[in-house]
Amino acid sequence: MDYFKRLLDLLKTEREEDRQLYLKLTQTTSVAQRRANGLTWYPIAIRDQEMSRGDYLTVEVERTTHHDIIHQLRFGMPAVLFSNHDAASNKVEGTITFVNGNRLKITLRTDELPDWAGDGKLGIDLLFDENSYDEMQNACKQAMVLAEKPAEGRLIQILTGGKKPNFQSSQILEPVRGLNSSQQAAVNKILEANDLAIVHGPPGTGKTTTLVQAIKAMIRRDNQQILVVAPSNTAVDLLSEKLSDEGLNVLRVGNPARVSERLLSLTLDYKMTEHSHMKEIKRLKKQASAFLDMAHKYKRHFGKAEREQRKALFAEARNIMKDVDNSEQYIINDLVAKAQVITATLVGANHYTVRNLKFNTVVIDEAGQALEPACWIPVLKAQKLVLAGDHCQLPPTVKSTEAARNGLATTLLEKTVALHPESVVLLEEQYRMNEMIMGYSSSTFYADRLKAHASVARHVLFNNDHPLVFVDTAGCGFDEKTEQTSTYNPEEAAFLFRHLTQLVSTLDGHYKPENFPSIAIISPYKQQIDTLKEQFLSSPALQAYEHKIAINTIDSFQGQERDIVYISMTRSNPDSRIGFLSDIRRMNVAMTRARKKLVVIGDSATLSQFPFYSDFITWAQDRNAYQSAWEFAE
């Protein structure tokens, strides 16, 4: 089927680009540089070790310094234990099986630690994640074969446009307490769908709440297990907690991003430790470990008799571990069978514990941020698919511009919304923003169908405050600068802090420190964020509010909200070049983070050559929300 051939080609291009970027980051860099890039833990100490599935050794390590560095080591990723005495030859590969704070477990492809592991200078390096690409590639290949089979391939044919979805509308559905009419319509659509239902959830419309109620209703009606997946661990965590709050038996496959007692108690590892058969397994593991310790004592003195003895002890330990594997598999099967909902990331949906399972219904949340090939991993397990997300917000990250341009940045959500409008319900009521903050986004992206709930429609910071301001810096000489590949604008940043300082001193008269409004300062440009963070430190009047102010890129704020949001547009040049500001979905995210006040600072002369921005500026002018930066001149 040409559809999947094309997808596989795009995936191949992306994999190659991703691999090259990884090699560039790792091959010529020192351990300190790799650590700064979040790819390495160094130095580490080994805290514990035990035999695990299939004769492999699982080692628990702790990073002993540099705890503040944000890292990318995650559950399921390939990694290597190395010694910095001779990193080229002293290394052993494995898979990360657990990450929590500054400790992680790595299952190594060996049954004993190498001699060099005792000489210090140890670290863990992240390897390029071939596994995720393999899983995506295999899923697309499998889908290509199944698509040709009438019975098994029905859902695939619907998703690729070959068939139409159908619905059963005869049921009388009980309304769910606490849902508004469009949320209820979405729950009904999900219950009526035989193959495909899509929940389109613009910012602040309660998409997660709606999904959770729909999943609960399906389980109540069909008493069948449901697989719920999302592209990021953070989204999976949120859903896992909310589903568990509703009293459902949730099994979280994989390792949560947030470390809370609550979430850990839903994981497979935790549930296994609580299982009644676990005492016996612990006893057997202890026994195997004792045999291994005895075997290791023979390491240094080798005669024929010792070699035989060592071999016999290893064999004994292995036999015990086979029993452990069988008992663990029994527990896993038992836990999986009892779960009402299984939650995982897209790639985690093929974890060995659930690899061969099929589900009546699979739910993909945040589908607007999911790479299509990754979606096929869980889709192949489903008879019916529920997609939820918003294709008018940020698309998934695609490393290769060529692959993105040729269609890899277009998500399965986007395609199916266009193919099957009869499957889509738009959530129309939002609970986040003042209606003026919401207005431009609603008219541009949601055909003016978005309404503000009465509880938020008119909320402002204080009486007579204007919820929306566009401050025009045209003619102020705030010219952008470029460094390497990123753009920044120091004068615009300085102006932003002057404006914010004024606002904060006004707010002081209305708020006590404990209920002071939360503030986000965002920009599309990484370099501008660095400039803003630097300048913030030299804004003495704002230091007292430091705990209330977050400064970061738009992408890192997706899914979040603040009382006040400042957007620094950054671009200001005589040629009206706006670069990736032309990705208006990113601006949709930026403009919909604010609850009570949105301040956009930019140069109208540069921006207004682009229809989206010239319309926004006109929109602001019509609502008396336009100011010139000259009005604030010192």
Side-chain angles (χ1 to χ4, degrees), residues 557-613:
F557 275 105
Q558 173 133 341
Q560 299 190 44
E561 52 188 70
R562 296 289 189 276
D563 294 317
I564 303 165
V565 172
Y566 273 76
I567 306 175
S568 168
M569 300 296 281
T570 312
R571 301 308 299 249
S572 176
N573 57 69
D575 318 317
S576 302
R577 288 192 318 274
I578 63 166
F580 83 147
L581 282 189
S582 57
D583 180 359
I584 61 175
R585 290 185 292 188
R586 186 171 265 107
M587 283 323 293
N588 186 33
V589 171
M591 290 172 166
T592 53
R593 301 303 97 199
R595 289 192 279 253
K596 299 178 181 177
K597 190 175 186 79
L598 172 65
V599 182
V600 182
I601 298 175
D603 176 351
S604 66
T606 301
L607 295 173
S608 57
Q609 300 308 306
F610 196 78
F612 175 81
Y613 295 107

Side-chain angles (χ1 to χ4, degrees), residues 8 11 15 131-144 350 355 373 376-377 380:
L8 284 161
L11 189 61
R15 182 184 205 148
N131 172 49
S132 294
Y133 281 103
D134 287 344
E135 293 283 12
M136 289 192 268
Q137 186 181 319
N138 293 341
C140 291
K141 284 181 175 168
Q142 228 178 312
M144 181 155 68
N350 238 0
R355 170 155 281 173
W376 287 102
I377 300 168
L380 290 176

